């Protein structure tokens, strides 16, 4: 059974940093791209960042480029999102999601339950 | 960026009746080299993550009931629920994966009338 379990969310002050993790199981992690999608409270879905199965290519939304870094550790089957210079508008539930192929096809067949990040003073 | 616009924003349908949700993209998501539409539909129930329903505009994900169907091509797409069940109450999103950034529609909230 495919499982994705996010962790690392919490309350952080504007300008602060946070690192999210997503532990994957039930599939060969290195064979699939993985992605972060966020959802602000009461709002819709926003794609944030993706990384290919090999980890050699990353993609970012303009809203987070230069502030967020996606990475993966295939030995631990874990996806990460390092978030720096956080802003109030980054407040959201962050979901990790499994892509359907290694090279980032762009749609997602399994999602985690999400972790809430709140940026506030 | 490709802008995805869904209509209506909310919809109330009686149990057993048909529900139709529309999605329009600001540019075509039909890739001419393979004649595939890079469009997917998700269902999100309260307090849950999104669930993949339809991909390539009309291919049903494994395990999704056949009352759900997707249609359309180019810039105009439709998600149809042929006979609404109580468990279909949710917000539905379309998403394009034709190019980056991947973009979602604003969502359509489906309720029981």
């Amino acid at each position: 059974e495919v499982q994705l379990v996010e962790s690392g969310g919490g309350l952080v002050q504007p300008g602060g940093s946070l690192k999210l993790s997503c532990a994957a199981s039930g599939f060969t992690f290195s064979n699939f791209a993985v992605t972060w999608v966020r959802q602000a409270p009461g709002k819709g879905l926003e794609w944030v960042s993706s990384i290919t199965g090999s980890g050699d290519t990353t993609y970012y939304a303009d809203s987070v480029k230069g502030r967020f870094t996606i990475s993966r550790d295939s030995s631990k089957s874990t996806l990460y999102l390092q978030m720096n210079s956080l802003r109030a508008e980054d407040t959201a539930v962050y979901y990790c999601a499994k892509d359907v192929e290694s090279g980032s096809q762009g749609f997602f067949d399994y999602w985690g339950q999400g972790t809430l990040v709140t940026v506030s003073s | 960026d490709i802008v995805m616009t869904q209509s209506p924003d909310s919809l109330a349908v009686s149990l057993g009746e048909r529900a139709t949700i529309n999605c329009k993209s600001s540019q075509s998501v039909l890739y001419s080299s393979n004649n595939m539409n890079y469009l997917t539909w998700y269902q999100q129930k309260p307090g849950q993550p999104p669930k993949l329903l339809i991909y390539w505009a009309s291919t049903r994900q494994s395990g999704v009931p056949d009352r759900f169907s997707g249609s359309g091509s180019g810039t105009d797409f439709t998600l149809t629920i042929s006979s609404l069940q109580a468990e279909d109450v949710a917000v539905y999103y379309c998403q394009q994966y034709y190019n980056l950034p991947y973009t979602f529609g604003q969502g359509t909230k489906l309720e029981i009338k």
Side-chain angles (χ1 to χ4, degrees):
Chain A
E1 178 193 7
V2 172
Q3 285 196 322
L4 298 164
V5 180
E6 303 93 337
S7 60
L11 175 63
V12 60
Q13 292 188 337
S17 298
L18 210 56
K19 187 172 185 176
L20 306 183
S21 300
C22 172
S25 60
F27 64 101
T28 304
F29 187 65
S30 58
N31 285 358
F32 296 92
V34 275
T35 285
W36 290 99
V37 173
R38 68 185 180 184
Q39 186 169 36
K43 302 297 184 182
L45 301 168
E46 180 189 14
W47 171 78
V48 173
S49 181
S50 297
I51 185 168
T52 55
S54 64
D56 58 0
T57 305
T58 57
Y59 309 96
Y60 297 95
D62 285 347
S63 59
V64 306
K65 199 173 296 183
R67 300 188 298 122
F68 289 12
T69 302
I70 191 171
S71 61
R72 62 190 297 160
D73 184 338
S74 289
S75 69
K76 296 181 179 180
S77 295
T78 300
L79 172 70
Y80 302 100
L81 186 67
Q82 176 67 49
M83 304 185 295
N84 298 331
S85 303
L86 282 160
R87 307 166 180 168
E89 55 264 35
D90 296 318
T91 294
V93 173
Y94 284 72
Y95 295 102
C96 69
K98 171 187 165 294
D99 200 287
V100 296
E101 67 163 45
S102 176
S104 189
Q105 182 64 259
F107 66 94
F108 319 113
D109 55 356
Y110 290 93
W111 296 63
Q113 290 296 315
T115 187
L116 176 62
V117 173
T118 303
V119 184
S120 175
S121 54
Chain B
D1 298 3
I2 298 177
V3 177
M4 308 299 291
T5 303
Q6 294 180 225
S7 61
D9 289 334
S10 62
L11 181 63
V13 174
S14 300
L15 290 172
E17 296 299 305
R18 177 184 300 260
T20 301
I21 298 170
N22 300 301
C23 174
K24 188 174 184 69
S25 56
S26 61
Q27 66 184 73
S28 176
V29 297
L30 174 63
Y31 195 40
S32 57
S33 66
N34 60 8
N35 201 38
M36 300 294 282
N37 287 283
Y38 284 53
L39 188 286
T40 188
W41 289 95
Y42 298 94
Q43 175 194 65
Q44 186 178 32
K45 296 181 179 180
Q48 295 186 20
K51 173 187 174 183
L52 177 64
L53 293 178
I54 303 282
Y55 55 96
W56 301 124
S58 61
T59 301
R60 199 178 304 115
Q61 171 69 341
S62 174
V64 173
D66 61 7
R67 65 180 180 273
F68 290 90
S69 63
S71 63
S73 185
T75 61
D76 292 280
F77 301 90
T78 300
L79 175 69
T80 301
I81 307 171
S82 60
S83 177
L84 189 70
Q85 304 300 302
E87 61 264 32
D88 300 335
V89 168
V91 178
Y92 293 83
Y93 295 93
C94 60
Q95 179 227 325
Q96 66 80 21
Y97 48 101
Y98 183 84
N99 61 18
L100 289 161
Y102 306 132
T103 48
F104 294 86
Q106 80 276 18
T108 295
K109 186 174 184 179
L110 178 58
E111 299 173 312
I112 305 294
K113 185 188 291 183

